[in-house]
Amino acid sequence: MAISDIREKMDENQKPFVIGGIVMVCLAVGLLIWEFKPVSAPAGASSYYFYDLSNGSITTEPVTAISPLRGADGQDTLVQAFFFTCSSCGDKKIGYLLKYTRRAKAAKALLMHPGNGAMAPQQSMQFNSSLSRHQVAIAMGTLVRLPAKGSHWYPIASPTGSQIASPPRCSTTALAKACRP
């Protein structure tokens, strides 16, 4: 089929192409809004699990802690750990680890604590105008990996990263349940 044939078909059937285009734009906008929604902790969570890459120890830190944190060896080796189970949380296993790049960590800290007390109107406008830039920095700088020693870190927004960050399957129909401290 030649390009002129395709163009002729499109000219004859403009309505479906316009509707399809509008649907695609709406989906793209919806996905962007969903992806860059404000960063918040899950309801009721007051702490997260953290894993020390230097020695394998597990600790808990408040939800305000942004990984990587200083670990037992004084280096930034303490990363957030996500546990899952197919039965009870007494039988939980690490599903994946998460940390932020320096830029993403700074952006996340700014969004979690935008200022001490009330902001002046000008400061509030500046903060709001930079909000999406900070959310993009967080989305692009969130890294995940499997818990196996030496595993590679992947951006969570990449196909491999999103696969790693998905809850594991217990069976063909059931996903594993997340466990929190």
Side-chain angles (χ1 to χ4, degrees):
M1 186 178 259
I3 292 176
S4 60
D5 293 337
I6 294 171
R7 185 70 183 145
E8 190 175 303
K9 288 280 190 196
M10 287 175 66
D11 288 342
E12 291 172 5
N13 302 304
Q14 286 182 1
K15 198 174 199 177
F17 284 103
V18 170
I19 291 171
I22 291 170
V23 168
M24 294 298 283
V25 168
C26 289
L27 284 173
V29 168
L31 286 172
L32 282 172
I33 289 170
W34 176 258
E35 182 65 30
F36 300 123
K37 64 186 181 285
V39 179
S40 62
S46 62
S47 61
Y48 288 135
Y49 287 114
F50 280 76
Y51 177 84
D52 196 326
L53 297 169
S54 67
N55 63 15
S57 65
I58 305 293
T59 61
T60 59
E61 297 289 335
V63 295
T64 55
I66 305 169
S67 69
L69 302 171
R70 295 231 188 280
D73 65 355
Q75 302 296 316
D76 287 341
T77 57
L78 200 58
V79 297
Q80 195 170 347
F82 290 83
F83 284 84
F84 296 93
T85 185
C86 289
S87 56
S88 72
C89 285
D91 187 32
K92 64 187 178 286
K93 292 188 178 12
I94 298 177
Y96 66 96
L97 305 173
L98 179 143
K99 71 176 183 176
Y100 298 95
T101 62
R102 281 190 191 119
R103 184 174 178 207
K105 187 174 178 177
K108 186 169 174 94
L110 181 68
L111 292 184
M112 289 174 73
H113 306 287
N116 296 335
M119 283 190 220
Q122 175 116 8
Q123 289 174 314
S124 181
M125 284 176 34
Q126 287 175 340
F127 177 77
N128 289 335
S129 69
S130 66
L131 189 60
S132 63
R133 182 171 37 99
H134 294 304
Q135 290 171 325
V136 168
I138 293 168
M140 301 307 289
T142 303
L143 306 174
V144 294
R145 75 167 234 199
L146 294 172
K149 190 171 182 94
S151 294
H152 183 73
W153 289 98
Y154 294 94
I156 198 168
S158 71
T160 304
S162 62
Q163 183 179 7
I164 289 170
S166 297
R169 291 202 166 274
C170 295
S171 66
T172 56
T173 58
L175 294 175
K177 177 179 94 169
C179 296
R180 293 196 174 82

